[in-house]
Amino acid sequence: QKEVEQNSGPLSVPEGAIASLNCTYSDRVSQSFFWYRQYSGKSPELIMSIYSNGDKEDGRFTAQLNKASQYVSLLIRDSQPSDSATYLCAGGAYSGAGSYQLTFGKGTKLSVIP
Amino acid sequence: EAGVTQFPSHSVIEKGQTVTLRCDPISGHDNLYWYRRVMGKEIKFLLHFVKESKQDESGMPNNRFLAERTGGTYSTLKVQPAELEDSGVYFCASSQERRTEAFFGQGTRLTVV
């Protein structure tokens, strides 16, 4: 059974600090990982995708993937109050029917305190 | 470019009634997915269309759920008859052919009372 685990939080960080969001997964089938940001009542917004071991940086966001440890993280530098949202970690893999599907964690709620 | 659009945003129906949810994917996206989040749980896969064909419907809970994508454009998800445990947020997502990055709609919050 595929599982993606996230600490539900809430995670509170002061404005300007680094927010670190973590995710572990329990199987070796997932080939790639995605971070979505979801504001209350809004659509999950794709903010980062990572397909290979190592770090991937995009602006203030850095995604890290360690397949040997089955660990994915998202770092947000210079956190802003507008970053306050729920962050969803998802692993992507093809099913036996050839369908690319996402397996989500429950999400971590981040609060950036001004 | 318009994103994934879902209608309605909220629906409250009585047990035993029928509800139809609609999803308009991003124009040109061949892949269309339905996912569902039940309260307190994670978002879970329901089914996947490639154009008008069902690629995988292994996540559909039971035969009370029927999804269609006539013409390969918008999709509908019908629940008939609705049960209390069908309450949740139903998300639609779409992606381009052979691309893995999926873009989500805002969801339809379904409440069955």
mmCIF file of all heavy atoms in Angstrom, chain A residues 51-82:
data_model
loop_
_atom_site.group_PDB
_atom_site.id
_atom_site.type_symbol
_atom_site.label_atom_id
_atom_site.label_comp_id
_atom_site.label_asym_id
_atom_site.label_seq_id
_atom_site.Cartn_x
_atom_site.Cartn_y
_atom_site.Cartn_z
ATOM 1 N N TYR A 51 12.237 15.174 -9.600
ATOM 2 C CA TYR A 51 12.229 13.864 -10.234
ATOM 3 C C TYR A 51 13.466 13.028 -9.925
ATOM 4 O O TYR A 51 13.476 11.823 -10.156
ATOM 5 C CB TYR A 51 12.119 14.022 -11.755
ATOM 6 C CG TYR A 51 10.861 14.729 -12.188
ATOM 7 C CD1 TYR A 51 10.856 16.103 -12.397
ATOM 8 C CD2 TYR A 51 9.674 14.036 -12.378
ATOM 9 C CE1 TYR A 51 9.691 16.764 -12.786
ATOM 10 C CE2 TYR A 51 8.512 14.680 -12.769
ATOM 11 C CZ TYR A 51 8.534 16.050 -12.970
ATOM 12 O OH TYR A 51 7.391 16.689 -13.356
ATOM 13 N N SER A 52 14.523 13.671 -9.419
ATOM 14 C CA SER A 52 15.749 12.916 -9.170
ATOM 15 C C SER A 52 16.322 13.320 -7.822
ATOM 16 O O SER A 52 15.976 14.360 -7.253
ATOM 17 C CB SER A 52 16.753 13.173 -10.287
ATOM 18 O OG SER A 52 17.012 14.552 -10.421
ATOM 19 N N ASN A 53 17.207 12.480 -7.311
ATOM 20 C CA ASN A 53 17.840 12.757 -6.033
ATOM 21 C C ASN A 53 18.570 14.102 -6.039
ATOM 22 O O ASN A 53 19.142 14.502 -7.059
ATOM 23 C CB ASN A 53 18.855 11.662 -5.694
ATOM 24 C CG ASN A 53 18.197 10.447 -5.078
ATOM 25 O OD1 ASN A 53 17.241 10.563 -4.339
ATOM 26 N ND2 ASN A 53 18.719 9.282 -5.400
ATOM 27 N N GLY A 54 18.524 14.781 -4.894
ATOM 28 C CA GLY A 54 19.241 16.032 -4.782
ATOM 29 C C GLY A 54 18.303 17.187 -4.525
ATOM 30 O O GLY A 54 17.187 17.003 -4.055
ATOM 31 N N ASP A 55 18.791 18.377 -4.815
ATOM 32 C CA ASP A 55 18.053 19.600 -4.560
ATOM 33 C C ASP A 55 17.594 20.222 -5.876
ATOM 34 O O ASP A 55 18.279 20.139 -6.898
ATOM 35 C CB ASP A 55 18.938 20.603 -3.818
ATOM 36 C CG ASP A 55 19.330 20.132 -2.434
ATOM 37 O OD1 ASP A 55 18.890 19.040 -2.021
ATOM 38 O OD2 ASP A 55 20.076 20.862 -1.756
ATOM 39 N N LYS A 56 16.452 20.883 -5.797
ATOM 40 C CA LYS A 56 15.957 21.667 -6.925
ATOM 41 C C LYS A 56 15.470 22.997 -6.369
ATOM 42 O O LYS A 56 14.641 23.020 -5.463
ATOM 43 C CB LYS A 56 14.833 20.941 -7.648
ATOM 44 C CG LYS A 56 14.254 21.735 -8.808
ATOM 45 C CD LYS A 56 13.104 20.981 -9.459
ATOM 46 C CE LYS A 56 12.483 21.796 -10.576
ATOM 47 N NZ LYS A 56 11.327 21.092 -11.196
ATOM 48 N N GLU A 57 15.992 24.086 -6.909
ATOM 49 C CA GLU A 57 15.673 25.410 -6.383
ATOM 50 C C GLU A 57 14.846 26.189 -7.391
ATOM 51 O O GLU A 57 15.094 26.146 -8.599
ATOM 52 C CB GLU A 57 16.967 26.165 -6.059
ATOM 53 C CG GLU A 57 16.760 27.501 -5.386
ATOM 54 C CD GLU A 57 18.080 28.154 -4.975
ATOM 55 O OE1 GLU A 57 18.977 27.417 -4.527
ATOM 56 O OE2 GLU A 57 18.206 29.388 -5.123
ATOM 57 N N ASP A 58 13.862 26.927 -6.870
ATOM 58 C CA ASP A 58 13.049 27.812 -7.701
ATOM 59 C C ASP A 58 12.658 28.995 -6.847
ATOM 60 O O ASP A 58 11.753 28.905 -6.012
ATOM 61 C CB ASP A 58 11.805 27.073 -8.208
ATOM 62 C CG ASP A 58 10.966 27.927 -9.154
ATOM 63 O OD1 ASP A 58 11.354 29.085 -9.430
ATOM 64 O OD2 ASP A 58 9.912 27.445 -9.619
ATOM 65 N N GLY A 59 13.371 30.088 -7.035
ATOM 66 C CA GLY A 59 13.097 31.276 -6.227
ATOM 67 C C GLY A 59 13.378 31.009 -4.758
ATOM 68 O O GLY A 59 14.460 30.565 -4.396
ATOM 69 N N ARG A 60 12.371 31.263 -3.922
ATOM 70 C CA ARG A 60 12.561 31.053 -2.478
ATOM 71 C C ARG A 60 12.338 29.600 -2.071
ATOM 72 O O ARG A 60 12.494 29.249 -0.902
ATOM 73 C CB ARG A 60 11.588 31.948 -1.710
ATOM 74 C CG ARG A 60 11.846 33.444 -1.881
ATOM 75 C CD ARG A 60 10.960 34.281 -0.963
ATOM 76 N NE ARG A 60 9.540 34.160 -1.272
ATOM 77 C CZ ARG A 60 8.650 33.562 -0.482
ATOM 78 N NH1 ARG A 60 9.026 33.017 0.669
ATOM 79 N NH2 ARG A 60 7.374 33.521 -0.837
ATOM 80 N N PHE A 61 11.946 28.763 -3.004
ATOM 81 C CA PHE A 61 11.629 27.368 -2.702
ATOM 82 C C PHE A 61 12.765 26.428 -3.124
ATOM 83 O O PHE A 61 13.349 26.581 -4.198
ATOM 84 C CB PHE A 61 10.354 26.934 -3.438
ATOM 85 C CG PHE A 61 9.130 27.727 -3.076
ATOM 86 C CD1 PHE A 61 8.672 28.742 -3.886
ATOM 87 C CD2 PHE A 61 8.441 27.445 -1.916
ATOM 88 C CE1 PHE A 61 7.539 29.470 -3.545
ATOM 89 C CE2 PHE A 61 7.300 28.162 -1.561
ATOM 90 C CZ PHE A 61 6.859 29.180 -2.382
ATOM 91 N N THR A 62 13.056 25.461 -2.256
ATOM 92 C CA THR A 62 13.989 24.386 -2.583
ATOM 93 C C THR A 62 13.362 23.064 -2.208
ATOM 94 O O THR A 62 12.951 22.879 -1.065
ATOM 95 C CB THR A 62 15.332 24.537 -1.841
ATOM 96 O OG1 THR A 62 15.955 25.761 -2.220
ATOM 97 C CG2 THR A 62 16.271 23.378 -2.180
ATOM 98 N N ALA A 63 13.273 22.172 -3.177
ATOM 99 C CA ALA A 63 12.800 20.817 -2.907
ATOM 100 C C ALA A 63 14.004 19.896 -2.833
ATOM 101 O O ALA A 63 14.972 20.054 -3.574
ATOM 102 C CB ALA A 63 11.852 20.357 -4.006
ATOM 103 N N GLN A 64 13.931 18.955 -1.902
ATOM 104 C CA GLN A 64 15.011 17.992 -1.725
ATOM 105 C C GLN A 64 14.423 16.590 -1.771
ATOM 106 O O GLN A 64 13.387 16.328 -1.158
ATOM 107 C CB GLN A 64 15.704 18.220 -0.369
ATOM 108 C CG GLN A 64 16.328 19.593 -0.232
ATOM 109 C CD GLN A 64 16.859 19.842 1.174
ATOM 110 O OE1 GLN A 64 16.215 19.500 2.157
ATOM 111 N NE2 GLN A 64 18.031 20.452 1.253
ATOM 112 N N LEU A 65 15.092 15.703 -2.503
ATOM 113 C CA LEU A 65 14.629 14.324 -2.621
ATOM 114 C C LEU A 65 15.774 13.375 -2.299
ATOM 115 O O LEU A 65 16.866 13.514 -2.854
ATOM 116 C CB LEU A 65 14.102 14.049 -4.031
ATOM 117 C CG LEU A 65 13.718 12.599 -4.369
ATOM 118 C CD1 LEU A 65 12.642 12.072 -3.430
ATOM 119 C CD2 LEU A 65 13.263 12.498 -5.820
ATOM 120 N N ASN A 66 15.495 12.422 -1.432
ATOM 121 C CA ASN A 66 16.458 11.382 -1.090
ATOM 122 C C ASN A 66 15.728 10.050 -1.231
ATOM 123 O O ASN A 66 14.996 9.637 -0.331
ATOM 124 C CB ASN A 66 16.978 11.570 0.337
ATOM 125 C CG ASN A 66 18.045 10.554 0.702
ATOM 126 O OD1 ASN A 66 18.008 9.404 0.276
ATOM 127 N ND2 ASN A 66 19.019 10.980 1.492
ATOM 128 N N LYS A 67 15.911 9.396 -2.370
ATOM 129 C CA LYS A 67 15.173 8.164 -2.645
ATOM 130 C C LYS A 67 15.626 7.015 -1.753
ATOM 131 O O LYS A 67 14.834 6.146 -1.408
ATOM 132 C CB LYS A 67 15.294 7.784 -4.121
ATOM 133 C CG LYS A 67 14.558 8.735 -5.048
ATOM 134 C CD LYS A 67 14.517 8.228 -6.472
ATOM 135 C CE LYS A 67 13.713 9.182 -7.356
ATOM 136 N NZ LYS A 67 13.621 8.696 -8.758
ATOM 137 N N ALA A 68 16.885 7.000 -1.378
ATOM 138 C CA ALA A 68 17.375 5.915 -0.514
ATOM 139 C C ALA A 68 16.696 5.976 0.851
ATOM 140 O O ALA A 68 16.350 4.948 1.430
ATOM 141 C CB ALA A 68 18.883 6.010 -0.361
ATOM 142 N N SER A 69 16.491 7.177 1.357
ATOM 143 C CA SER A 69 15.838 7.361 2.647
ATOM 144 C C SER A 69 14.339 7.540 2.516
ATOM 145 O O SER A 69 13.640 7.659 3.525
ATOM 146 C CB SER A 69 16.433 8.574 3.370
ATOM 147 O OG SER A 69 17.816 8.407 3.584
ATOM 148 N N GLN A 70 13.837 7.601 1.283
ATOM 149 C CA GLN A 70 12.404 7.801 1.020
ATOM 150 C C GLN A 70 11.909 9.066 1.723
ATOM 151 O O GLN A 70 10.928 9.035 2.470
ATOM 152 C CB GLN A 70 11.614 6.560 1.436
ATOM 153 C CG GLN A 70 12.019 5.340 0.608
ATOM 154 C CD GLN A 70 11.246 4.098 1.013
ATOM 155 O OE1 GLN A 70 11.681 3.324 1.843
ATOM 156 N NE2 GLN A 70 10.110 3.926 0.395
ATOM 157 N N TYR A 71 12.582 10.150 1.438
ATOM 158 C CA TYR A 71 12.362 11.409 2.146
ATOM 159 C C TYR A 71 12.342 12.553 1.143
ATOM 160 O O TYR A 71 13.178 12.641 0.255
ATOM 161 C CB TYR A 71 13.516 11.585 3.133
ATOM 162 C CG TYR A 71 13.509 12.845 3.943
ATOM 163 C CD1 TYR A 71 12.826 12.909 5.153
ATOM 164 C CD2 TYR A 71 14.223 13.967 3.525
ATOM 165 C CE1 TYR A 71 12.832 14.053 5.920
ATOM 166 C CE2 TYR A 71 14.236 15.121 4.284
ATOM 167 C CZ TYR A 71 13.544 15.161 5.483
ATOM 168 O OH TYR A 71 13.558 16.292 6.241
ATOM 169 N N VAL A 72 11.323 13.416 1.303
ATOM 170 C CA VAL A 72 11.189 14.599 0.447
ATOM 171 C C VAL A 72 10.970 15.801 1.358
ATOM 172 O O VAL A 72 10.250 15.685 2.363
ATOM 173 C CB VAL A 72 9.959 14.495 -0.490
ATOM 174 C CG1 VAL A 72 9.971 15.588 -1.531
ATOM 175 C CG2 VAL A 72 9.910 13.133 -1.152
ATOM 176 N N SER A 73 11.560 16.920 1.022
ATOM 177 C CA SER A 73 11.330 18.108 1.829
ATOM 178 C C SER A 73 11.163 19.332 0.944
ATOM 179 O O SER A 73 11.552 19.333 -0.226
ATOM 180 C CB SER A 73 12.479 18.316 2.819
ATOM 181 O OG SER A 73 13.674 18.600 2.115
ATOM 182 N N LEU A 74 10.589 20.348 1.539
ATOM 183 C CA LEU A 74 10.428 21.643 0.879
ATOM 184 C C LEU A 74 10.907 22.709 1.847
ATOM 185 O O LEU A 74 10.417 22.777 2.977
ATOM 186 C CB LEU A 74 8.973 21.890 0.497
ATOM 187 C CG LEU A 74 8.688 23.234 -0.172
ATOM 188 C CD1 LEU A 74 9.270 23.261 -1.583
ATOM 189 C CD2 LEU A 74 7.181 23.508 -0.213
ATOM 190 N N LEU A 75 11.863 23.508 1.408
ATOM 191 C CA LEU A 75 12.345 24.621 2.204
ATOM 192 C C LEU A 75 11.837 25.907 1.593
ATOM 193 O O LEU A 75 11.903 26.097 0.368
ATOM 194 C CB LEU A 75 13.877 24.644 2.238
ATOM 195 C CG LEU A 75 14.578 23.398 2.797
ATOM 196 C CD1 LEU A 75 16.087 23.560 2.710
ATOM 197 C CD2 LEU A 75 14.150 23.141 4.226
ATOM 198 N N ILE A 76 11.318 26.780 2.445
ATOM 199 C CA ILE A 76 10.871 28.096 1.997
ATOM 200 C C ILE A 76 11.735 29.116 2.702
ATOM 201 O O ILE A 76 11.673 29.258 3.933
ATOM 202 C CB ILE A 76 9.383 28.333 2.321
ATOM 203 C CG1 ILE A 76 8.518 27.199 1.756
ATOM 204 C CG2 ILE A 76 8.931 29.683 1.760
ATOM 205 C CD1 ILE A 76 7.040 27.301 2.148
ATOM 206 N N ARG A 77 12.551 29.815 1.923
ATOM 207 C CA ARG A 77 13.425 30.834 2.501
ATOM 208 C C ARG A 77 12.696 32.150 2.607
ATOM 209 O O ARG A 77 11.767 32.426 1.827
ATOM 210 C CB ARG A 77 14.684 30.995 1.647
ATOM 211 C CG ARG A 77 15.642 29.822 1.709
ATOM 212 C CD ARG A 77 16.878 30.091 0.842
ATOM 213 N NE ARG A 77 16.507 30.275 -0.553
ATOM 214 C CZ ARG A 77 16.228 29.269 -1.362
ATOM 215 N NH1 ARG A 77 16.249 28.024 -0.937
ATOM 216 N NH2 ARG A 77 15.903 29.517 -2.618
ATOM 217 N N ASP A 78 13.135 32.992 3.578
ATOM 218 C CA ASP A 78 12.531 34.318 3.743
ATOM 219 C C ASP A 78 11.009 34.215 3.760
ATOM 220 O O ASP A 78 10.309 34.849 2.951
ATOM 221 C CB ASP A 78 12.998 35.245 2.619
ATOM 222 C CG ASP A 78 12.587 36.695 2.820
ATOM 223 O OD1 ASP A 78 12.336 37.077 3.979
ATOM 224 O OD2 ASP A 78 12.474 37.434 1.816
ATOM 225 N N SER A 79 10.497 33.400 4.644
ATOM 226 C CA SER A 79 9.056 33.143 4.707
ATOM 227 C C SER A 79 8.274 34.438 4.862
ATOM 228 O O SER A 79 8.665 35.341 5.622
ATOM 229 C CB SER A 79 8.743 32.212 5.878
ATOM 230 O OG SER A 79 9.323 30.939 5.677
ATOM 231 N N GLN A 80 7.154 34.497 4.158
ATOM 232 C CA GLN A 80 6.277 35.657 4.195
ATOM 233 C C GLN A 80 4.901 35.243 4.717
ATOM 234 O O GLN A 80 4.496 34.086 4.550
ATOM 235 C CB GLN A 80 6.131 36.248 2.787
ATOM 236 C CG GLN A 80 7.437 36.688 2.159
ATOM 237 C CD GLN A 80 8.086 37.803 2.949
ATOM 238 O OE1 GLN A 80 7.445 38.813 3.262
ATOM 239 N NE2 GLN A 80 9.352 37.627 3.296
ATOM 240 N N PRO A 81 4.162 36.173 5.303
ATOM 241 C CA PRO A 81 2.804 35.828 5.755
ATOM 242 C C PRO A 81 1.946 35.234 4.645
ATOM 243 O O PRO A 81 1.085 34.380 4.908
ATOM 244 C CB PRO A 81 2.257 37.173 6.247
ATOM 245 C CG PRO A 81 3.477 37.905 6.720
ATOM 246 C CD PRO A 81 4.565 37.520 5.741
ATOM 247 N N SER A 82 2.207 35.637 3.397
ATOM 248 C CA SER A 82 1.438 35.101 2.262
ATOM 249 C C SER A 82 1.767 33.636 1.972
ATOM 250 O O SER A 82 1.064 32.988 1.187
ATOM 251 C CB SER A 82 1.703 35.929 1.007
ATOM 252 O OG SER A 82 3.091 35.924 0.698
#
